Each structure stands twice: as C-alpha cells, then as structure tokens.
Amino acid sequence: MAQGQIRKALSGYYYVYQDGGLIQCRGRGVFRNRGESPLVGDIVDYTKEGESDGYVMKIYPRKNELVRPPIANIDQAILVFSVKEPAFNTILLDRFLVVLESFSVQPILCLTKMDLLTDEENEQLKPYIDDYQKIGYTVLTTYKDDASLVQRLSPILENKVSVLAGQSGVGKSTLLNTLIPALDLKTDAISQSLGRGKHTTRHVELIEVCGGLLADTPGFSSFEFETIEKEELTACFPEFLRLSEGCKFRGCLHTKEPKCAVKEALETGEIRPYRYEHYEQILQEIMDRKPRY
C-alpha cells in the first residue's frame, strides 16, 4: 500500500501521482456502495497492480470540496475578472467570493485588460481595488503582454493547490499562456489540455505550475447558494464577520435587528453600500430557496 494524490480523473480512472509518475487506478467497489467517489486533489492510499496500474483503497478526510467541478483540498482560487470587455462587475465578483468563502477557499483577485481603460475609467476603478484590499483580498492587476505577471504570481502559486475561475472572455486563456509558456498552446488547445475542449470529455486535472498545482474550473460559474444557510452568510463577508461580534444579538442577520454593528458601520462608511446591497440580495435568495427534504 502506498499514498499519493489524485491529479486527474478520466473515464472511470483515477491517476495517482507518486514519485514523479502517474499510476492509473480504479476505485474500489466499496466506495460505490458507500456513495463515495474519489476526487481530483484527494490524498489516497492505493495498491499497485503491475508497473502503472492499481486500485484506490482509501480516501483521506478532505478539507473542502467543490461539486462543480469535482475537486478536493483546494487552497485558493485565482478569480480572473476583466475590467473592460466585459466590464468589471462587483455583484458577480461578490457572488464568486461568497461561494469560495463558504468552501474555505482563499480568493485571489486577478483583474485583466487594464490597458483598455481610459484615465478616467482607471480613476473610477481604483476605489473598488482599495475596497477589496482593505477587506483582506490580494488584488493583482494585469495588462496585455504583462512580462511581470509570472514573477508576481509565482510566490502566490508555490506549494498551493489553486483553481482558476472566471467567466469566458475575461482573459483566462491569456493568463494560462503566460503561466505555462512551455505548452505554447493556442486558446482551444489550452482548453483541451485542461479539460475544456469543445469535443473532448470534460475532466479536471491538476497541472504543475510555478512550484504549485493549478486546475482550470470549467464548471465553476454556477452560483446557487444551496449549501449556505442564512446564518452562515455573514462569515462569507469578512468585514461583516469582524464587526458582527459587536452586534447585540447572536445570529444577527444585519437587516432589521436593533443595535447591529454591521448597519452602524454601513452608516459611518466603514462598510461600502454596494457590499451591503449584495449581502441583502444573496440573503434574500437564500431565504427564498425552496426547502430541501
């Protein structure tokens, strides 16, 4: 029995990394019987059958897992957002952030296409960048042919399991081209190598980049907050969470309750109005959700 990490899942096989190579494994029937399924990112015990085949025998406890795409034990997500074409969208960004916070995945914001902004648009964007940095998020800005990007991203990616997320058209493929020049891939070839090809079986794969592991996340664009309860939403807004200890009532939802520290901070400008509006919108969605039985 040996221990390794699943780096790729494809057509019922799990490719376990150990000692610089991949072992093609099947999952044991016991997982199916328990309704469990090994995921990319899992640390597992496996047995070898021959040189490069084997069976996954045990899955170690996960620190987190995403359903779409199916991947486990993620440290951080690089959220790629363009500032123009398509325009920067704070509600979409906050929805991404809430989902990541709920899964205990650290978000890193990467704002692309900065070179397309006029001076005036640049000035309008700056307060938003300041806001997210004050909340505690790392914000990287990048532009066309940005030679410094790899240098800036390398220490962030090193020794971490990262996922790449963002809408189409925001510059994810350009970012991947910059990070993995050895592949020298065209956009659609990158898509295929990372499981996003139009005519390939979609799969999730962790690839080695900058001393860490990176997965593209083709399915990570759905924002149902189905796993978040209304009382848990505060924890997905870090600046709300810090202040909520000052609320009079435990479990305060920061809407109609008296002596709410979050609403007081909204009035003093410590919390930005658009963040509070997005909190209210998402809270309403959670409260309107049909009960699950």
Side-chain angles (χ1 to χ4, degrees):
M1 195 102 75
Q3 190 182 99
Q5 179 190 43
I6 297 176
R7 292 279 178 94
K8 180 167 78 166
L10 187 62
S11 306
Y13 286 100
Y14 304 98
Y15 294 84
V16 179
Y17 180 86
Q18 200 210 22
D19 298 333
L22 290 175
I23 312 295
Q24 180 179 276
C25 295
R26 287 262 188 211
R28 284 181 65 211
V30 67
F31 295 129
R32 272 195 304 280
N33 300 341
R34 290 191 209 134
E36 288 180 5
S37 180
L39 295 177
V40 170
D42 272 335
I43 305 300
V44 296
D45 284 343
Y46 68 97
T47 55
K48 272 176 96 167
E49 307 245 321
E51 273 305 296
S52 58
D53 288 273
Y55 281 90
V56 174
M57 306 299 286
K58 174 185 174 180
I59 304 168
Y60 283 86
R62 297 164 180 153
K63 70 175 183 181
N64 55 32
E65 62 183 273
L66 294 179
V67 180
R68 288 184 297 271
I71 186 169
N73 300 319
I74 307 144
D75 296 313
Q76 59 189 15
I78 313 295
L79 283 181
V80 186
F81 269 71
S82 59
V83 293
K84 201 169 181 178
E85 296 174 17
F88 184 57
N89 183 331
T90 55
I91 178 62
L92 190 63
L93 173 56
D94 285 347
R95 291 170 80 87
F96 261 111
L97 291 173
V98 164
V99 172
L100 291 174
E101 293 281 2
S102 74
F103 285 111
S104 303
V105 176
Q106 175 68 39
I108 309 287
L109 276 55
C110 184
L111 303 182
T112 62
K113 308 188 186 180
M114 291 293 290
D115 48 291
L116 299 183
L117 295 181
T118 63
D119 289 347
E120 188 182 345
E121 288 167 335
N122 210 348
E123 287 304 311
Q124 289 166 352
L125 180 70
K126 268 183 187 167
Y128 291 106
I129 293 175
D130 290 344
D131 291 344
Y132 286 104
Q133 285 175 328
K134 274 181 199 150
I135 291 165
Y137 294 121
T138 298
V139 183
L140 298 172
T141 55
T142 180
Y143 46 88
K144 198 177 177 186
D145 304 324
D146 187 348
S148 71
L149 184 62
V150 174
Q151 195 181 343
R152 288 183 290 141
L153 267 175
S154 287
I156 291 170
L157 294 171
E158 194 174 358
N159 298 321
K160 293 278 201 309
V161 175
S162 308
V163 295
L164 194 65
Q167 289 177 295
S168 57
V170 295
K172 279 202 297 177
S173 298
T174 308
L175 183 70
L176 284 165
N177 260 328
T178 309
L179 285 173
I180 321 167
L183 293 177
D184 194 24
L185 294 172
K186 295 186 179 69
T187 303
D188 53 349
I190 284 183
S191 294
Q192 289 190 16
S193 79
L194 292 160
R196 284 195 296 142
K198 292 186 182 76
H199 308 295
T200 59
T201 307
R202 283 196 167 194
H203 71 282
V204 180
E205 183 173 357
L206 286 168
I207 51 175
E208 293 184 12
V209 180
C210 298
L213 294 168
L214 179 67
D216 190 16
T217 50
F220 193 65
S221 54
S222 51
F223 301 104
E224 299 85 28
F225 303 104
E226 55 216 23
T227 58
I228 306 172
E229 299 305 325
K230 64 179 188 290
E231 297 81 8
E232 297 167 341
L233 185 59
T234 295
C236 301
F237 282 75
E239 73 275 41
F240 288 32
L241 183 61
R242 289 193 286 268
L243 289 159
S244 62
E245 289 176 15
C247 293
K248 183 179 179 182
F249 296 102
R250 276 188 72 181
C252 181
L253 293 179
H254 324 302
T255 51
K256 301 181 180 74
E257 300 89 342
K259 295 192 177 168
C260 166
V262 169
K263 282 199 297 185
E264 284 167 16
L266 177 68
E267 283 169 24
T268 61
E270 192 180 342
I271 281 179
R272 303 288 286 152
Y274 67 90
R275 284 280 287 173
Y276 184 76
E277 282 165 26
H278 299 165
Y279 169 84
E280 282 190 308
Q281 283 177 34
I282 295 167
L283 181 66
Q284 195 60 51
E285 275 182 54
I286 291 169
M287 291 168 78
D288 291 345
R289 192 172 60 198
K290 289 184 173 64
R292 288 164 296 168
Y293 300 106

